């Protein structure tokens, strides 16, 4: 009768039919003793047993490999399914929002939240109302609600802070403590210490803190950045003029004008303040702040922030590179999407988890670094004013 051999390779390694029978036979103490006595070299059976165990271990390993691979694949599929499920939940999620403050920026926020771009991240934002110290009733079908209701409502997930600069810090803190995401107009605070504390609070609570910087979204600036990219700076000046501001509400010029500082940091990298002065003519309501920086490559940059009655809002540049000087802004087409809508889309992308950790980290560094520098500038100017007085 033919013998069925399920593992030919194993049978081959076990040797002749006689040895297989001998190995397969049950071993009693007497049998083991006889075997050892009959063996000319002694100890043959233990060596055969060891060999048989090694072969069987090899068979088991080969049999388990596909099963282990299948188990790993199943775990990977489960993890992937979980991640996909999370993303699908975010994609389908709606975020209730409230606008705090109804000045020029606040009204623009209400308009864009009520009329989001089709097929854009902003379609995931739903306006529940606005908060204001003044009584309006409704604005473009948006209803006015109290600050307490906005903080308490479980339907509101994010707040758009569009108040005067002086109250940004307080409002951010209140809404973060209430567990809301926050979008705030620049500057987020009027001190570097407060800004760092607020950012740390947002991270601890797992909330998005987005600081609006629409000056980086203009087509004019985008084109300028392309022109500057890759060029070696020799020296440069950015000169801004504008109308008078109430510093009790807007803060020191280094903070209220932080959009210009943001330009310089974004264009030329980290900067160091070498000197800062401020000229004030109270009788004429005139102010001129002049700040000198040094780039990481020891190249000089100057920022001038000048304000007075009737002064036109304007920016002038004079950037000199090894390849030549740039004194005029490059021509740029008008964007089809408004600046506040672009900023709103970016905030919504953050809420939906569509912005990389690297981009978020770079943005955080830029914002906090600019606020650190603004505080250093203020300290330089005030120290000199105290000496002169």
């Amino acid at each position: 009768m033919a013998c069925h051999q399920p593992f030919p390779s194993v049978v081959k390694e076990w040797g002749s039919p006689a040895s297989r029978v001998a190995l397969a036979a049950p071993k009693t103490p007497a049998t083991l003793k006889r075997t050892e006595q009959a063996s000319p070299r002694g100890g043959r059976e233990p060596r055969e047993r060891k060999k048989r165990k090694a072969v069987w271990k090899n068979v088991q390993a080969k049999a388990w490999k596909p099963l282990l691979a299948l188990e790993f694949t199943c775990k990977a599929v489960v993890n992937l399914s979980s991640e996909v499920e999370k993303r699908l939940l975010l994609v389908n999620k709606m975020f209730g929002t409230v606008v705090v403050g109804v000045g020029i920026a606040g009204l623009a926020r209400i308009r864009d939240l009520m009329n989001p771009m089709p097929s854009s991240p902003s379609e995931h934002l739903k306006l529940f109302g606005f908060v204001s110290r003044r009584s309006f009733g409704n604005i473009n079908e948006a209803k006015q609600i109290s600050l307490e209701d906005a903080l308490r409502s479980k339907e509101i997930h994010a707040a758009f802070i569009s108040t005067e600069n002086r109250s940004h810090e307080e409002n951010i803190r209140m809404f973060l403590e209430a567990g809301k995401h926050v979008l705030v107009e620049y500057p987020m605070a009027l001190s570097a210490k407060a800004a760092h504390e607020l950012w740390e609070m947002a991270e601890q609570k797992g909330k998005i803190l987005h600081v609006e910087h629409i000056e980086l979204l203009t087509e004019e600036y985008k084109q300028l950045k392309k022109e500057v990219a890759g060029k070696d700076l020799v020296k440069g000046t950015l000169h801004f003029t504008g109308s008078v501001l109430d510093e009790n509400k807007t803060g020191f010029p280094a903070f209220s004008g932080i959009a210009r500082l943001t330009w310089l940091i974004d264009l030329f990298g980290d900067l160091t303040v070498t000197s800062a002065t401020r000229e004030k003519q109270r009788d004429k309501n005139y102010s001129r702040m002049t700040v000198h920086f040094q780039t990481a490559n020891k190249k000089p940059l100057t920022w001038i922030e000048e304000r007075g009655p009737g002064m036109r809002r304007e920016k002038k540049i004079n950037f000199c590179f090894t390849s030549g000087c740039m004194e005029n802004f490059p021509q740029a087409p008008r964007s089809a999407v408004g600046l506040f809508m672009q900023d709103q889309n970016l905030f919504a992308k953050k809420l939906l988890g569509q912005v990389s950790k690297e981009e978020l980290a770079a943005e955080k560094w830029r914002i906090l670094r600019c606020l650190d520098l603004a505080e250093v500038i203020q300290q330089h100017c005030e120290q000199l004013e105290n000496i002169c007085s």
Side-chain angles (χ1 to χ4, degrees):
M1 182 176 65
C3 180
H4 180 58
Q5 298 180 2
F7 299 101
S9 61
V10 177
V11 170
K12 183 179 178 181
E13 292 186 49
W14 280 5
S16 64
S19 64
R20 291 200 301 273
V21 171
L23 288 170
K27 303 294 182 180
T28 64
T31 306
L32 286 172
K33 187 174 181 180
R34 286 197 302 273
T35 303
E36 290 175 0
Q37 291 173 349
S39 175
R41 289 176 291 177
R44 175 185 172 114
E45 191 277 335
R47 287 198 299 272
E48 288 289 349
R49 182 186 297 175
K50 189 174 182 180
K51 185 176 180 181
R52 181 173 59 182
K53 285 181 179 179
V55 171
W56 180 240
K57 187 176 181 181
N58 185 43
V59 171
Q60 286 181 313
K62 288 179 181 179
W64 275 105
K65 277 183 180 179
L67 295 176
L68 290 172
L70 179 61
E71 181 185 12
F72 178 80
T73 304
C74 289
K75 286 182 179 179
V77 169
V78 169
N79 292 336
L80 181 62
S81 299
S82 178
E83 185 63 29
V84 169
E85 185 179 356
K86 288 179 183 177
R87 290 189 178 274
L88 286 174
L89 287 173
L90 280 176
V91 166
N92 296 320
K93 184 174 177 62
M94 291 296 294
F95 296 88
T97 64
V98 62
V99 174
V100 183
V102 288
I104 295 173
L107 290 172
R109 295 297 187 184
I110 291 172
R111 176 200 65 204
D112 289 348
L113 283 166
M114 296 186 72
N115 302 281
M117 282 178 58
S119 303
S120 75
S122 288
E123 285 193 318
H124 293 270
L125 305 177
K126 181 181 179 181
L127 180 64
F128 273 87
F130 66 91
V131 174
S132 177
R133 291 172 299 183
R134 295 172 289 172
S135 179
F136 287 96
N138 289 349
I139 298 178
N140 298 332
E141 298 182 4
K143 65 178 181 178
Q144 185 168 1
I145 63 176
S146 69
L147 177 61
E148 292 73 21
D149 287 343
L151 292 168
R152 189 168 49 243
S153 175
K154 292 183 180 180
E155 293 182 303
I156 294 176
H157 308 98
F160 285 55
I161 310 298
S162 301
T163 60
E164 57 196 28
N165 296 353
R166 183 69 61 182
S167 63
H168 284 178
E169 178 188 343
E170 180 186 5
N171 281 300
I172 294 171
R173 198 178 299 277
M174 283 193 297
F175 279 96
L176 286 178
E177 287 175 348
K180 317 291 186 186
H181 302 286
V182 174
L183 177 152
V184 62
E185 317 296 341
Y186 73 77
M188 64 181 286
L190 297 181
S191 79
K193 181 182 178 182
H196 283 270
E197 287 176 356
L198 292 171
W199 210 288
E200 185 178 348
M201 180 187 295
E203 290 178 338
Q204 287 176 349
K205 291 183 173 292
K207 299 301 173 183
I208 298 296
L209 175 53
H210 173 83
V211 184
E212 166 267 313
H213 276 286
I214 58 175
E215 74 278 5
L216 300 179
L217 304 177
T218 66
E219 295 303 312
E220 176 186 59
Y221 177 74
K222 291 175 183 177
Q223 193 61 39
L224 174 65
K225 190 171 182 178
K226 288 180 183 178
E227 296 284 337
V228 169
K231 293 182 178 179
D232 295 322
L233 180 72
V234 176
K235 63 179 180 178
T237 300
L238 172 59
H239 186 173
F240 173 84
T241 59
S243 58
V244 180
L245 295 177
D246 181 356
E247 291 187 20
N248 291 323
K249 296 179 179 179
T250 61
F252 191 80
F255 286 93
S256 60
I258 205 165
R260 269 67 70 189
L261 181 52
T262 302
W263 265 27
L264 294 177
I265 285 283
D266 196 53
L267 288 173
F268 303 111
D270 197 12
L271 302 174
T272 302
V273 179
T274 56
S275 68
T277 59
R278 187 185 184 198
E279 176 191 352
K280 290 179 72 176
Q281 297 179 16
R282 297 183 186 279
D283 56 331
K284 296 181 180 179
N285 210 8
Y286 170 82
S287 170
R288 178 188 173 103
M289 181 184 72
T290 304
V291 186
H292 295 287
F293 300 102
Q294 200 172 65
T295 68
N297 294 326
K298 309 298 183 183
K299 302 302 180 182
L301 272 175
T302 301
W303 169 30
I304 300 172
E305 191 84 0
E306 189 175 12
R307 290 185 177 275
M311 278 193 168
R312 180 182 174 186
R313 185 180 177 86
E314 188 177 17
K315 290 185 290 289
K316 295 179 182 178
I317 59 171
N318 186 356
F319 296 144
C320 291
F321 305 94
T322 53
S323 58
C325 291
M326 182 184 297
E327 297 182 351
N328 298 303
F329 286 98
Q331 294 293 319
R334 187 179 179 85
S335 176
V337 182
L339 296 177
F340 284 106
M341 182 63 80
Q342 291 182 53
D343 183 63
Q344 180 176 293
N345 283 336
L346 178 56
F347 179 54
K349 285 179 69 176
K350 291 179 181 179
L351 294 178
L352 294 167
Q354 296 174 1
V355 179
S356 71
K357 291 181 180 179
E358 292 75 18
E359 289 176 287
L360 292 173
E363 184 179 289
K364 173 188 174 181
W365 177 86
R366 189 199 71 231
I367 291 169
L368 294 179
R369 181 57 180 155
C370 286
L371 289 164
D372 288 339
L373 290 174
E375 190 161 279
V376 172
I377 292 166
Q378 182 176 356
Q379 289 170 355
H380 274 263
C381 292
E382 290 178 346
Q383 284 173 2
L384 191 59
E385 286 176 4
N386 292 335
I387 292 172
C388 293
S389 60

